[in-house]
Amino acid sequence: MKVLLAIPHVFAPKEGSLYSSQTEAKRGLKQEALLKATIGNLNRHRRRHWIHASLGKGQKVVNRELQTDTGVELTIQLFTPPQASLADGLPEDPDLQRLDPQVEDLTQVPLIASRHLLEQAEAYDLVGYLEDDLLISDPEFFAKLLYLDRCSDGRYAFLPHRCEHIPGRGDVILSGDPDGGRPDLFWDTGEEISIPWPLGERRFYRATNPHSGCYFLARRQALTVRDYWHQRQWMAPFQLSGPLEQAGSGMLLPIMKIMKPIPSHYRFLTVQHQDQLWQRHAFEEAPAPPSGRK
């Protein structure tokens, strides 16, 4: 399986900003997150791996290189302007390509990455747009995505839940939907579908909050999305809350039905966010138990 991932990366600190990419205090965190999103994802999903191998009785043990059929032929393209980047700290890797988006307006970098990804889709089995702080920890992630596409008719874009880990408590899904939904949004239809799986069916719903910081499309889906935007000269008649949302789920909303696992099935398809956005929000208080009768 040939997979291409496009990652936009900008680090340009600004006083008082809430965005991680504009916060000087998060430089170390963002550097580590970028390493995991690039080299970390490459090493986790490529075919190459290693095993402790003994050279014989009484001989030394070595790390021997092996190949696994469950890996993929993975290429990552990192779109990052040299003047606003932490990419200089990354090690060289033949499967990591660093590309200069060559724009002065840094808010355009995500859209450039997303567009170039789609324009290359014909040469790959699967393409994915990924923000610069996401780690794909599931070793069968890409196989699951192609399986989901084969089990559907191509109209559904299956997106993972973007999650963080709360120490001592467990995972938190960042893309929660508002209570009661949003009937004013055309995509908030309440549609659900079920996909067969050996360990029990997996259910997906049309998410009110479509943004996951990423998207992944099989070739046929990516070409449909590419052709749609090519006909419109890559100009959108709408604007989502920010450039990352516009380049991510915004590229899919007019064409695809964005589906995510129901919250109880979130572990089936998930990516890890390398930050602590959960700290911005209080924990919901449990309702008080009803008072007993006197």
Side-chain angles (χ1 to χ4, degrees), residues 158-227:
F158 295 94
L159 268 60
H161 280 297
R162 182 173 54 159
C163 298
E164 292 176 349
H165 187 73
I166 303 177
R169 290 179 180 261
D171 294 336
V172 54
I173 299 171
L174 299 181
S175 53
D177 299 306
D179 293 342
R182 286 284 305 276
D184 57 307
L185 301 175
F186 74 85
W187 61 83
D188 192 10
T189 63
E191 180 180 1
E192 286 196 14
I193 61 174
S194 295
I195 301 292
W197 188 247
L199 299 179
E201 70 175 14
R202 295 295 180 257
R203 291 168 54 204
F204 295 81
Y205 74 107
R206 197 165 179 186
T208 306
N209 181 352
H211 189 60
S212 288
C214 57
Y215 67 74
F216 303 90
L217 300 171
R219 182 191 295 117
R220 64 169 177 169
Q221 297 175 305
L223 294 179
T224 298
V225 176
R226 179 203 66 184
D227 293 345

Side-chain angles (χ1 to χ4, degrees), residues 16-38:
S17 177
L18 292 177
Y19 292 104
S20 295
S21 62
Q22 296 177 343
T23 305
E24 179 60 38
K26 289 197 171 183
R27 178 180 291 270
L29 179 72
K30 292 296 293 183
Q31 187 115 40
E32 180 64 21
L34 180 62
L35 178 65
K36 291 181 179 179
T38 53

